[in-house]
Amino acid sequence: MTDRQVRPQRLGEMTVTEAFSVRLAKDEADIAAAQRLRYDVFVTELGGDGALVDHEARLERDRFDPFYDHLLVCDDSKGGAVVGVYRLLRDDQAAVAGQFYSEDEYDLTALRTSGRRLLELGRSCLHRDYRGGAAMFHLWQGLAGYVLDHGIEVLFGVASFHGTDVDKLAEPLSLLHHRHLAPPELRPRARAFQSMNLLAEDQIDRRRAMLQVPALIKAYLRLGGCVGEGAFVDQSFNTVDVCLVMDTARMTDRQRALYTQERAT
């Protein structure tokens, strides 16, 4: 089966394409593998930290992990090594957890009162050797299958710029504010509010600004994603966070095809 022929899987089954398989974590060992990859990326590479990070065991973890579904991309040519992860929390799981992770940073009242079926995304990362290749494609395909299986209508979650110097990020943050702000009825607002309206729109070099936007945020924007109002400066994780929102009902046919790969062959 080629990449072009991939279809969203019914999770609970494993989808295998070339060397990769996509599945949900099924036990503590799987979750630990995801946390180990997260440590390599978020702690070792990006300098993050947290109250429950286990530096001795090299596990990036927090109090929300037990409530999430953990989507894994595995390289079956290397014994099923976990090379990509996504953390997924439906609204019914958030009710059990007591909140969404993002609510520590953003007021989600608009989303919570929308009456829509919600899915929070987080901790998305790939092993450095698999970036820019097929692994991300498989991660998105697994996410698409999950969304279809659970009838999800709105996806959201925080995504990060590396570092906490807001002045250095004035152009990309201002670009997001002026051109990609979520509609009021789906617009989260940062709690410790850091304005993203730092430059007038005519002062922004769009090309230069987009070069500073992380690949994951660009991917959401290509799919019709938008951002909440204000950024959140996360000193412990060494990031400036924005809250991304993607309403599946607003996706164009082209965007939906990019997301689900439901194309004629």
Side-chain angles (χ1 to χ4, degrees), residues 4 31 47 54 60 62 72 100 104 134 165-166 195 198 203 205 216-217 232 249 254-256 261:
R4 183 174 290 275
I31 295 175
D54 187 335
E60 192 282 303
D62 66 17
L72 312 177
F100 288 105
D104 285 344
D165 189 335
V166 175
S195 176
L198 303 172
Q203 294 180 288
D205 182 323
L216 182 63
I217 297 178
F232 181 91
R254 179 178 176 275
Q255 290 165 339
R256 191 171 289 105
Q261 293 298 302

Side-chain angles (χ1 to χ4, degrees), residues 4 6 48-49 56 62 69 79 103-104 124 135 147 165 208 217 222:
R4 183 174 290 275
V6 171
D49 203 352
E56 184 175 349
D62 66 17
D69 285 333
E103 284 181 290
D104 285 344
S124 174
V147 166
D165 189 335
R208 185 171 60 204
I217 297 178
R222 283 195 295 270

Side-chain angles (χ1 to χ4, degrees), residues 56-85:
E56 184 175 349
R58 298 181 62 84
L59 301 176
E60 192 282 303
R61 59 187 186 183
D62 66 17
R63 65 187 180 90
F64 291 93
D65 275 329
F67 301 100
Y68 275 79
D69 285 333
H70 300 262
L71 184 66
L72 312 177
V73 175
C74 305
D75 185 343
D76 295 327
S77 71
K78 295 187 177 179
V82 174
V83 300
V85 299

Side-chain angles (χ1 to χ4, degrees), residues 139-211:
L139 198 58
W140 277 96
Q141 286 295 285
L143 175 60
Y146 190 97
V147 166
L148 292 173
D149 284 350
H150 292 283
I152 300 300
E153 298 173 277
V154 177
L155 299 84
F156 72 97
V158 296
S160 304
F161 290 83
H162 180 49
T164 57
D165 189 335
V166 175
D167 290 338
K168 289 183 178 179
L169 298 172
E171 277 200 313
L173 291 176
S174 297
L175 180 68
L176 292 177
H177 172 81
H178 288 299
R179 299 197 180 182
H180 299 284
L181 199 61
E185 67 272 18
L186 292 176
R187 188 184 300 168
R189 179 180 170 85
R191 295 186 185 279
F193 191 84
Q194 167 59 58
S195 176
M196 296 196 297
N197 187 14
L198 303 172
L199 296 171
E201 188 169 4
D202 61 7
Q203 294 180 288
I204 302 168
D205 182 323
R206 187 179 185 281
R207 182 177 182 280
R208 185 171 60 204
M210 286 303 293
L211 287 173

Side-chain angles (χ1 to χ4, degrees), residues 30-156:
D30 278 346
I31 295 175
Q35 293 169 335
R36 195 169 299 113
L37 176 60
R38 284 161 35 186
Y39 187 96
D40 289 344
V41 175
F42 296 121
V43 180
T44 302
E45 288 189 44
L46 301 180
D49 203 352
L52 296 182
V53 171
D54 187 335
H55 294 286
E56 184 175 349
R58 298 181 62 84
L59 301 176
E60 192 282 303
R61 59 187 186 183
D62 66 17
R63 65 187 180 90
F64 291 93
D65 275 329
F67 301 100
Y68 275 79
D69 285 333
H70 300 262
L71 184 66
L72 312 177
V73 175
C74 305
D75 185 343
D76 295 327
S77 71
K78 295 187 177 179
V82 174
V83 300
V85 299
Y86 234 133
R87 206 167 70 159
L88 313 175
L89 189 72
R90 302 185 308 272
D91 41 23
D92 56 306
Q93 295 167 311
V96 177
Q99 66 168 94
F100 288 105
Y101 172 89
S102 305
E103 284 181 290
D104 285 344
E105 300 184 7
Y106 280 84
D107 181 347
L108 302 181
T109 299
L111 293 176
R112 281 190 169 277
T113 59
S114 68
R116 312 287 296 285
R117 191 76 203 275
L118 306 177
L119 178 68
E120 182 180 51
L121 311 176
R123 294 298 200 273
S124 174
C125 63
L126 292 170
H127 187 283
R128 62 173 64 86
D129 294 340
Y130 293 82
R131 294 168 196 167
M136 189 66 202
F137 170 86
H138 292 285
L139 198 58
W140 277 96
Q141 286 295 285
L143 175 60
Y146 190 97
V147 166
L148 292 173
D149 284 350
H150 292 283
I152 300 300
E153 298 173 277
V154 177
L155 299 84
F156 72 97

